[in-house]
Amino acid sequence: MPQFTNAEGSPTPEPSSAWPKSTTLAPPTPLEPTSNPATTLSTVDTTTGYTFRTSNQTTEEINVTAFPSTTAEPITEDFYSTAEPTETTTFWPTTEIEPPPPTTTTSPTTTTSLITTTTSSPTAITTTSWPTPGTDTPLTTTPIATTNTTISTTITSASISPPDPPTTNETTPTTTTTHLPTINTTTTTPSTTSPFTNTSTTTTNTPTTAAPLVCSNGEEVDGVCVCPDEWTGETCSEVNFCNKTTLGEFRFPKTAIGWFAYSEEKCQKGTIGAGTPQASTRCSFKDGKPQFDESPQVFRCEQTLNDIQRNLTSAADLEILASSVQLLTSRPEDLKAENITVAAQIANTLLLSPNASETVRVAAVATVSQLLSAAESEEEESSTTQSLTLTLDQLSLNLSLTSNTSQLVQPNLVVQSAQIPVSDIQGVQFTTFAGLSGSFVANRIQLNTNVSKVTVDNGFIADALVYIRFPPGGGVERHQQRSNISLGFVLYQNSRFFPSRIYRRRRASLRVLSASIGGPDHGLVAESVEMRFRVMLPNKTSLHDFSCVFWDYGKQDWSTHGCSKGNSSDGVLRCLCNHTTNFAALWSFRENYEYAEALSVISIMGLSFSILGLVVTIIHHLKENLQTKSHQKQTKLTSKMSLLCIYLSLLAFIITFLSGVQNSSPQNGTNAQPSAQNQILGSDLHVEPDQGSCTAVAALLHFFLLATFSWNSVYGTQVVLLVRSMQRSLPPYWTPLSWGVGWGVPAVVTAITLAATYRVENPLGYRQEEFCWLAALDLSKRFSFGKPMFWAFLLPLGLVLIYNTVLLVLTSLTTCRVDPKLTSTRRSSLTKKLLVSFSLAVLLGLSWALGYLVLVATGTAQLVFSILFCVCTSTQGLQIFILFTARTPSFKASVRRSVRYVSSACIPRRSNKYYLRRTWSDAGTSETYRDIVDRDTSI
């Protein structure tokens, strides 16, 4: 039985005995060997494992179907091979198909063409019928339909004269239908030059349906698995951490490879370093697996940063000092400004020390990484941190020359060094890929040392990258013929070491990427430097604009000189500069506001009834005052003025609220693209300049509501003075004082609020954008006591409500004590007492106290208080009408007169009117009775 070899060279299993054996014929005359035996290429069938040899061709992959057996022996040599012929075993079919009629050709020599293509379903397979002995019939093909991948194969003789057919036993030819799941197909076109065959091959890929991406331990983002720090790989299934362990007396948590772990044991209370971890160790990849260093660094709890700084001048062990300062800064949120300055100075000294080992440098870089998580820098820190950034740039150029590693990666800092040969270099790219936490991990850092353009591999998302392009046409060789280029990259998690006086950053995450070039020839410069930064926008925001900048050490701030910006598609900011230094992309975002919906039906109906009631109340009030006699006018005006002002201010508030509380000029309506100009931004939050209308509505609402409660307090004070002093008139200064308190105080508060918080370029310091009312929330969408909603409204309103409550209690107690009817136990007296108290409470606006309960309550209680607050406050005008107008005798009489007038206008009748006047001379008043007798009341 013949033997075949697979890709590894080992014999393949013997075919099954169920397959009939082919009749063996003498092989044809072989081709002459080629002059270049190295051109022979072995191609492995990925389905069967058989090896086919072809000469003078280049092929990536071939999928070959089994040829059916024929009455003549198949050619056992590959058609284009120059090696000795070997025996072959053919696949015998299970489905028999009649062969096509033979085709006769007069030419004994033909040109070979082996063409393999792939088409979509339905598919067909072309099988080859072998010529029968004793004929000149060339090889023919028969297509057979299948339901899978299609391979159309045409095979003819390759410049070979057919040999004389030997005597054989005839066998009926059969064919087989096969199903081949081919993915890669190869098209081979042989040359027609005789006696040798030259073959060129091109490969095409057939699109296949990819299996759904399953992220084992990460999240899928845009079809890519984004992994946490502890996992890596395309599906986040590869371990990238050291398990929690115990080394000696210290326990260490699970930690990503390359990072430091700090012991769970802390320095005890009462020591200088109370709360500081007592030991540290680093997770690294050793002996084929991640594991912690066996000897942790132990910290002396009585040591301080100042002690370490003093010992740097002595011959102390630098490794112990570097580890100690690293442990002391392991809680950056607790560091003060002076601690940050001292720690930065120590790290700078350690990195510059000629005696610093690799362990010392790693610990110093870890310290710098921790300082980047500390609070924002103060002015006195600026010089220290600026010096530290220059030291890191120098370290990135020399790291690969002075240590065994070329990369230092910590959660907030990456230092990458490279020594690259000058010859044939096009460009260098440094890339960091995205992770769930945003921290830096070594397996997400990539350095490509010779690329012609920016490249991001499939299956990855680049967070930040820098591409340095060198001059074409030997521009680099012109400077250095046989030396290396020193390249250094430093990536900062944020811009804490680059404090700007121009750009105010509050919520934007701003990464800084440094690129440096060094070498013997200091005149070597890059042709261009391209950067890309992926922005992480806060929730419910969108990108507004960005600027490409570098850090100018002379100005101590950002500059755009020599930099330009590209597009910002897919949330990636593209920048281009003509020099190397510390780069960043300053960007600003705009809020995507959720504007208030239309008022509910309850609110609209309640406010509408309140407007109607207040209008009727004001008209009736003015009519009664105008009918007052001249000698009673002053007294009536003094006593009724407060009520009229309450009605007017409340009516103005409701009308303004209904017509303008919804923002008529929303910012979301303007979706401007980033500008083409590269100018330094002033802030990371963009706010559209004020258009005026919404701010005016907010100011009017603020003023009218404060005025309503001010007049409530004035009226309550007036009632208490009259009731408790039993006086018939108020002091002469009461009128100007009432006007000053009722209208003046609200006007002053509104003016102060506008002056303190309103700016045309940023009106949101005074008002909200979602609806026209005072600002209440900070940038984190939490209630802020520094916003005008609290100190300009809630605080004064709360004080007024407390004062009005005291006035209500005093009035009720005084009235009950003086009037014997209100102290009676009769049911009618009790009802009157409750009605008087309720009416006064409504007028004083005590229902607004429910709003404070809405702020502090949660769950069902908050819902109940919200409904009660909405109903009570929206119907306050209606309540005032019912309690203070509709119940008065004068209003009832006016209604009766109006009804009778309407009735008399519609029904003609004759009547006699008799008037009887009875006068009391001592009282100075008169009362008129009217008796109307209808002579004809028939309708």
Side-chain angles (χ1 to χ4, degrees):
M1 197 67 183
Q3 294 288 328
F4 291 87
T5 58
N6 57 18
E8 287 78 14
S10 59
T12 58
E14 182 178 356
S16 173
S17 60
W19 297 348
K21 298 181 180 179
S22 62
T23 303
T24 305
L25 300 178
T29 303
L31 295 175
E32 296 182 7
T34 62
S35 58
N36 184 12
T39 60
T40 301
L41 177 65
S42 295
T43 304
V44 181
D45 184 355
T46 58
T47 305
T48 64
Y50 300 156
T51 302
F52 299 90
R53 294 184 299 275
T54 57
S55 63
N56 199 25
Q57 66 175 354
T58 302
T59 179
E60 295 184 4
E61 183 177 353
I62 273 188
N63 293 318
V64 182
T65 62
F67 296 104
S69 175
T70 64
T71 56
E73 178 181 3
I75 299 175
T76 58
E77 181 79 317
D78 189 290
F79 290 104
Y80 312 113
S81 174
T82 59
E84 292 294 326
T86 59
E87 291 184 293
T88 183
T89 300
T90 60
F91 289 100
W92 291 81
T94 58
T95 303
E96 293 186 359
I97 302 176
E98 291 294 331
T103 302
T104 303
T105 180
T106 58
S107 175
T109 304
T110 60
T111 301
T112 301
S113 176
L114 174 61
I115 303 174
T116 303
T117 58
T118 300
T119 59
S120 58
S121 296
T123 61
I125 295 179
T126 303
T127 61
T128 305
S129 298
W130 299 83
T132 57
T135 66
D136 293 334
T137 303
L139 301 179
T140 60
T141 60
T142 302
I144 303 174
T146 67
T147 57
N148 264 345
T149 308
T150 299
I151 300 179
S152 177
T153 307
T154 303
I155 304 177
T156 59
S157 58
S159 300
I160 303 174
S161 298
D164 294 334
T167 303
T168 62
N169 297 324
E170 292 187 2
T171 305
T172 302
T174 57
T175 56
T176 302
T177 300
T178 58
H179 301 276
L180 301 177
T182 304
I183 297 177
N184 295 328
T185 62
T186 305
T187 301
T188 306
T189 305
S191 174
T192 60
T193 305
S194 179
F196 305 112
T197 302
N198 297 324
T199 306
S200 61
T201 304
T202 59
T203 302
T204 60
N205 292 329
T206 300
T208 59
T209 303
L213 183 64
V214 178
C215 300
S216 302
N217 299 284
E219 295 180 2
E220 182 179 351
V221 179
D222 298 333
V224 175
C225 284
V226 179
C227 305
D229 301 328
E230 295 81 8
W231 296 90
T232 185
E234 292 187 2
T235 59
C236 305
S237 57
E238 301 176 16
V239 174
N240 189 52
F241 62 88
C242 297
N243 275 314
K244 60 180 180 179
T245 187
T246 301
L247 298 176
E249 59 184 30
F250 303 110
R251 295 170 297 171
F252 296 97
K254 181 173 69 174
T255 306
I257 294 178
W259 293 4
F260 282 89
Y262 299 110
S263 65
E264 298 178 3
E265 290 73 22
K266 313 291 183 183
C267 292
Q268 298 179 356
K269 294 182 179 179
T271 60
I272 297 178
T276 302
Q278 292 185 7
S280 67
T281 185
R282 190 185 183 199
C283 174
S284 56
F285 199 81
K286 299 178 181 179
D287 300 330
K289 62 179 180 179
Q291 54 184 325
F292 286 113
D293 296 340
E294 296 181 356
S295 301
Q297 294 289 340
V298 182
F299 172 67
R300 292 188 295 121
C301 295
E302 297 297 332
Q303 204 168 25
T304 64
L305 289 172
N306 291 327
D307 295 337
I308 296 174
Q309 190 176 29
R310 286 191 294 267
N311 291 332
L312 288 176
T313 58
S314 63
D317 189 352
L318 291 182
E319 291 187 7
I320 296 177
L321 296 178
S323 175
S324 298
V325 69
Q326 176 190 345
L327 285 164
L328 283 171
T329 58
S330 61
R331 298 181 300 164
E333 65 277 1
D334 297 335
L335 295 177
K336 299 180 181 179
E338 56 270 18
N339 301 134
I340 297 174
T341 301
V342 175
Q345 292 173 351
I346 295 174
N348 195 29
T349 303
L350 291 173
L351 293 175
L352 291 174
S353 174
N355 300 323
S357 63
E358 180 180 343
T359 304
V360 173
R361 291 193 180 97
V362 172
V365 169
T367 300
V368 178
S369 173
Q370 292 167 169
L371 293 180
L372 286 170
S373 297
E376 290 297 327
S377 64
E378 302 290 339
E379 289 297 331
E380 55 268 18
E381 300 176 20
S382 179
S383 59
T384 302
T385 55
Q386 294 295 290
S387 176
L388 184 58
T389 58
L390 293 173
T391 301
L392 290 172
D393 289 342
Q394 189 64 33
L395 174 66
S396 68
L397 289 173
N398 301 327
L399 181 63
S400 58
L401 297 175
T402 58
S403 63
N404 296 327
T405 182
S406 61
Q407 185 185 81
L408 299 176
V409 181
Q410 290 301 309
N412 296 324
L413 184 66
V414 178
V415 179
Q416 176 73 59
S417 180
Q419 300 294 320
I420 302 175
V422 174
S423 59
D424 299 330
I425 188 172
Q426 302 179 70
V428 178
Q429 178 178 317
F430 171 79
T431 310
T432 175
F433 298 110
L436 287 182
S437 68
S439 301
F440 301 138
V441 182
N443 57 33
R444 293 201 292 262
I445 306 299
Q446 185 182 77
L447 180 66
N448 298 331
T449 56
N450 192 12
V451 289
S452 59
K453 62 180 181 179
V454 174
T455 304
V456 179
D457 297 336
N458 292 332
F460 296 94
I461 299 176
D463 263 352
L465 66 83
V466 57
Y467 172 72
I468 302 177
R469 183 190 304 276
F470 291 99
V476 176
E477 290 88 341
R478 186 172 57 253
H479 291 279
Q480 301 178 7
Q481 294 294 331
R482 296 182 179 179
S483 59
N484 291 339
I485 299 176
S486 296
L487 293 177
F489 304 94
V490 182
L491 178 60
Y492 301 87
Q493 185 71 262
N494 54 54
S495 60
R496 192 194 180 285
F497 291 168
F498 304 89
S500 175
R501 296 181 298 272
I502 303 175
Y503 178 73
R504 300 185 304 276
R505 183 181 63 85
R506 295 182 180 91
R507 299 170 61 188
S509 57
L510 185 66
R511 286 179 172 173
V512 180
L513 183 53
S514 170
S516 304
I517 301 177
D521 189 353
H522 296 287
L524 177 64
V525 295
E527 179 184 14
S528 63
V529 181
E530 181 178 351
M531 290 79 61
R532 294 186 183 181
F533 300 91
R534 189 171 72 98
V535 296
M536 299 299 295
L537 293 169
N539 292 332
K540 299 180 180 180
T541 63
S542 58
L543 180 67
H544 173 257
D545 200 359
F546 73 100
S547 56
C548 299
V549 297
F550 74 96
W551 185 257
D552 191 333
Y553 284 96
K555 296 169 52 178
Q556 294 289 300
D557 215 319
W558 298 110
S559 175
T560 60
H561 181 71
C563 294
S564 60
K565 66 180 184 180
N567 59 50
S568 57
S569 60
D570 302 329
V572 177
L573 311 181
R574 294 168 174 81
C575 299
L576 190 68
C577 293
N578 58 13
H579 53 82
T580 56
T581 181
N582 297 287
F583 303 104
L586 310 180
W587 52 276
S588 63
F589 61 90
R590 65 196 315 160
E591 296 278 356
N592 296 331
Y593 297 101
E594 296 180 0
Y595 290 90
E597 298 179 355
L599 296 175
S600 64
V601 177
I602 297 177
S603 298
I604 294 177
M605 291 182 61
L607 293 173
S608 300
F609 282 121
S610 292
I611 291 176
L612 180 60
L614 288 172
V615 169
V616 174
T617 299
I618 293 172
I619 293 174
H620 176 71
H621 190 90
L622 293 174
K623 181 180 178 181
E624 289 297 316
N625 289 335
L626 292 176
Q627 291 180 353
T628 304
K629 298 293 182 180
S630 59
H631 64 277
Q632 299 174 342
K633 191 171 183 178
Q634 184 62 37
T635 304
K636 290 290 184 180
L637 180 61
T638 303
S639 61
K640 299 290 185 177
M641 180 185 62
S642 298
L643 286 175
L644 182 61
C645 291
I646 292 174
Y647 304 153
L648 290 173
S649 58
L650 184 58
L651 177 63
F653 170 78
I654 295 175
I655 293 176
T656 306
F657 182 83
L658 275 177
S659 61
V661 69
Q662 291 180 317
N663 194 346
S664 60
S665 302
Q667 292 189 19
N668 286 359
T670 56
N671 295 323
Q673 296 296 323
S675 64
Q677 297 180 351
N678 189 27
Q679 296 180 348
I680 299 180
L681 305 177
S683 174
D684 60 353
L685 176 61
H686 174 76
V687 179
E688 291 291 337
D690 191 23
Q691 298 183 5
S693 59
C694 191
T695 301
V697 170
L700 290 176
L701 291 176
H702 187 206
F703 170 74
F704 286 130
L705 197 54
L706 288 181
T708 300
F709 283 96
S710 296
W711 280 109
N712 287 342
S713 299
V714 170
Y715 177 76
T717 305
Q718 177 179 305
V719 171
V720 170
L721 290 177
L722 292 175
V723 172
R724 292 182 65 85
S725 62
M726 300 301 293
Q727 297 179 359
R728 293 178 178 268
S729 61
L730 295 170
Y733 59 82
W734 182 254
T735 298
L737 179 62
S738 299
W739 281 83
V741 174
W743 298 114
V745 171
V748 171
V749 173
T750 302
I752 292 175
T753 306
L754 283 169
T757 61
Y758 175 74
R759 301 293 181 272
V760 175
E761 64 276 6
N762 185 14
L764 301 185
Y766 172 72
R767 63 167 176 87
Q768 302 182 43
E769 175 64 22
E770 293 86 346
F771 55 92
C772 302
W773 182 236
L774 300 178
L777 306 179
D778 58 11
L779 295 177
S780 301
K781 302 302 179 183
R782 294 191 297 264
F783 184 83
S784 174
F785 293 102
K787 294 295 183 178
M789 176 68 174
F790 172 74
W791 56 265
F793 178 71
L794 291 179
L795 183 60
L797 180 61
L799 296 176
V800 170
L801 290 176
I802 293 174
Y803 179 71
N804 288 353
T805 303
V806 173
L807 294 179
L808 176 63
V809 173
L810 292 177
T811 303
S812 299
L813 292 177
T814 303
T815 305
C816 292
R817 185 178 65 250
V818 173
D819 194 339
K821 291 184 179 181
L822 293 180
T823 59
S824 173
T825 58
R826 290 183 301 175
R827 184 176 181 85
S828 59
S829 299
L830 180 61
T831 303
K832 290 181 179 179
K833 181 176 64 174
L834 294 176
L835 187 58
V836 169
S837 299
F838 177 74
S839 301
L840 189 58
V842 170
L843 189 64
L844 295 178
L846 297 184
S847 60
W848 284 78
L850 294 171
Y852 292 87
L853 298 179
V854 173
L855 295 177
V856 298
T858 57
T860 305
Q862 185 182 42
L863 178 61
V864 172
F865 287 135
S866 298
I867 295 175
L868 291 176
F869 175 76
C870 180
V871 172
C872 294
T873 54
S874 62
T875 59
Q876 185 178 0
L878 180 62
Q879 297 172 44
I880 290 175
F881 165 74
I882 295 173
L883 297 174
F884 290 88
T885 302
R887 295 175 55 247
T888 59
S890 59
F891 181 78
K892 292 179 181 179
S894 299
V895 171
R896 285 196 297 268
R897 287 195 300 269
S898 300
V899 171
R900 289 178 179 177
Y901 177 79
V902 173
S903 300
S904 62
C906 297
I907 303 176
R909 62 182 179 177
R910 293 180 298 170
S911 62
N912 293 329
K913 299 180 180 179
Y914 300 90
Y915 295 93
L916 176 64
R917 182 181 297 274
R918 188 172 62 181
T919 303
W920 294 271
S921 58
D922 55 346
T925 59
S926 61
E927 183 178 356
T928 301
Y929 298 89
R930 180 172 56 187
D931 185 12
I932 302 175
V933 179
D934 294 334
R935 292 185 178 182
D936 188 3
T937 58
S938 61
I939 301 177

